[in-house]
Amino acid sequence: NDVKVEDRISFVGVNNYSIANLYASSIIENGVDGKVMVVSSSGNSLNGTMIANNIQETLKDRNYTAGSFEYDLRIIESDDAFATEEYIQNLFKDNDLAPVVICLDEVSTACFYQAVIDYYKVGQISIYRNYHSPTILTGIKQGVIKSTVTIDASSIGQAAAKAYVEYRDSGYVSDYINVEAKNIDQFNVDDFIEEVEDEQN
């Protein structure tokens, strides 16, 4: 029902609660407390709100009491890379930052990653992200980005194919099929870098 003009009857993917659960695990492992800034493009603002709420719920469910969290959702009102870079540069110039930053798109993550280096904030700000790219993996390897949540494309493909066969044979299929996400951090980033290098060769 999310896109009225579409005839889609099933959605295969990862839910926001699973993503938030992995963020919460990282926050607990790193003993983080204080302010959490969630940076989102205007098209992703609802997603940002849901993830922030789900992180709060997950931490409460796990009785995590290292500190009280204040969530600060920042919406960048443009998908333009230059506008995103300018917005993030201004956050650093004004020192309007948080010890934990969750970026919900690749452009804002890349801009935050570069700004942390440019403004000598490495080690002072923990950046979290979902999905991965070579830039994000390099940031994790260098310790600038704490972790990223990723979804295995192969798992999505297999689940989608299975759902199609089920619908073709029976005429019925679940309207939502969840695929588990994974966390990439310092402990397993080399495996993913190797995977990307193999794909490029």
Side-chain angles (χ1 to χ4, degrees):
N1 297 325
D2 58 328
V3 183
K4 297 296 182 187
V5 297
E6 290 292 331
D7 292 328
R8 184 178 68 226
I9 58 165
S10 183
F11 177 84
V12 179
V14 64
N15 63 48
N16 282 328
Y17 185 78
S18 296
I19 292 173
N21 210 347
L22 289 170
Y23 284 140
S25 295
S26 249
I27 286 170
I28 291 169
E29 283 167 20
N30 289 289
V32 175
D33 61 8
K35 190 176 179 182
V36 176
M37 182 183 287
V38 180
V39 180
S40 169
S41 64
S42 55
N44 216 7
S45 57
L46 179 61
N47 198 27
T49 303
M50 289 170 66
I51 283 177
N53 290 340
N54 285 335
I55 291 172
Q56 280 181 305
E57 286 301 313
T58 304
L59 291 174
K60 191 163 72 174
D61 290 346
R62 296 193 193 182
N63 298 316
Y64 182 64
T65 55
S68 58
F69 284 85
E70 176 193 342
Y71 288 88
D72 182 8
L73 180 60
R74 298 298 181 98
I75 309 298
I76 302 172
E77 298 295 341
S78 172
D79 293 325
D80 178 66
F82 179 77
T84 300
E85 184 179 359
E86 186 178 38
Y87 182 93
I88 288 169
Q89 290 279 343
N90 286 335
L91 291 178
F92 279 81
K93 287 174 186 172
D94 299 338
N95 201 29
D96 184 13
L97 299 164
V100 177
V101 176
I102 297 172
C103 297
L104 298 182
D105 60 83
E106 188 169 346
V107 176
S108 64
T109 310
C111 291
F112 243 103
Y113 165 55
Q114 191 57 51
V116 163
I117 295 168
D118 292 344
Y119 287 87
Y120 307 104
K121 297 284 188 182
V122 175
Q124 298 175 44
I125 297 175
S126 298
I127 305 173
Y128 296 85
R129 153 89 168 117
N130 59 334
Y131 303 108
H132 71 278
S133 68
T135 302
I136 305 307
L137 296 177
T138 300
I140 294 171
K141 179 76 174 173
Q142 294 172 340
V144 180
I145 298 172
K146 280 288 183 188
S147 69
T148 188
V149 174
T150 189
I151 304 161
D152 179 18
S154 175
S155 297
I156 290 182
Q158 289 173 27
K162 185 178 176 185
Y164 167 73
V165 170
E166 182 183 338
Y167 182 70
R168 182 198 64 189
D169 293 348
S170 69
Y172 299 98
V173 68
S174 298
D175 58 359
Y176 184 83
I177 298 163
N178 186 48
V179 177
E180 289 302 316
K182 298 176 185 174
N183 218 27
I184 304 176
D185 55 24
Q186 286 280 332
F187 299 106
N188 62 359
V189 69
D190 287 334
D191 296 337
F192 286 89
I193 290 173
E194 190 177 319
E195 203 175 285
V196 169
E197 288 172 349
D198 288 344
E199 288 171 1
Q200 291 172 344
N201 293 332

